[in-house]
Amino acid sequence: MAIILPDLPYAYDALEPYIDAETMHLHHDKHHQTYVNNANVALEKHPEIGEDLEALLADVESIPADIRQALINNGGGHLNHALFWELMTPEKTAPSAELAAAIDATFGSFEEFQAAFTAAATTRFGSGWAWLVVNKEGKLEVTSTANQDTPISEGKKPILGLDVWEHAYYVKYRNVRPDYIKAFFSVINWNKVDELYAAAK
Ligand SMILES: [Fe+2]
């Protein structure tokens, strides 16, 4: 067995004009494929640890030292991207009443949540991700991580994530990351976020 690149759950051009087809091809077929390939190279060195990346990255100290950083980077890269594709949709969706209430209770309003998420995505220096997670206390929290680090390694369950590596937006948005972040909010698959929230809380 090996880690396999999942197909996109929609056509490459389905998220136009918010996320362009050329970006989706490069991002999925090249970048994500490379994380998959490199994760498999690392895993093949230690068949005894299995291939459950979520379990491995939840306890990074359990990963053999010689492949630990490779799995943090590439195993994390695979998990983050596999989730990211599912968190977007061309269909119009909205948070469930339960999630909307939790967002209001935590952040004050949906607009304040969006502002906090946007700030996390904008201020993440260099490459990384912005997240909405369920933390160890079962509460919603906006956070960000560097590189391909996953919140799973901090004991947090990601329910929404935005890739802010330049490869995610530079073809269309050039250096204007804030426009890409704004566009992302037009293609969020809230049905998937609801599902992850229900499972995580
Ligand atoms: Fe990416």
Side-chain angles (χ1 to χ4, degrees), residues 27 31 35 81 129 148 163 165 167-168:
H27 201 174
H31 291 279
Y35 295 123
H81 286 85
W129 292 73
Q148 294 297 348
D163 187 342
W165 283 58
H167 70 223

Side-chain angles (χ1 to χ4, degrees), residues 69-112:
Q69 195 59 50
L71 270 199
I72 289 170
N73 293 344
N74 297 288
H78 167 58
L79 284 186
N80 292 341
H81 286 85
L83 177 62
F84 185 51
W85 311 133
E86 293 197 31
L87 288 168
M88 297 186 287
T89 177
E91 290 159 30
K92 283 286 157 238
T93 63
S96 66
E98 190 188 3
L99 178 58
I103 286 173
D104 287 350
T106 305
F107 302 101
S109 66
F110 185 86
E111 290 68 30
E112 286 173 273

Side-chain angles (χ1 to χ4, degrees), residues 35 69 71-74 76-77 80-81 120-121 123-131 143-154 162-165 177:
Y35 295 123
Q69 195 59 50
L71 270 199
I72 289 170
N73 293 344
N74 297 288
N80 292 341
H81 286 85
T123 59
R124 165 48 60 187
F125 183 76
S127 297
W129 292 73
W131 302 100
T143 185
S144 71
T145 58
N147 304 315
Q148 294 297 348
D149 294 358
T150 164
I152 293 169
S153 300
E154 300 170 9
L162 176 60
D163 187 342
V164 294
W165 283 58
R177 190 191 286 186

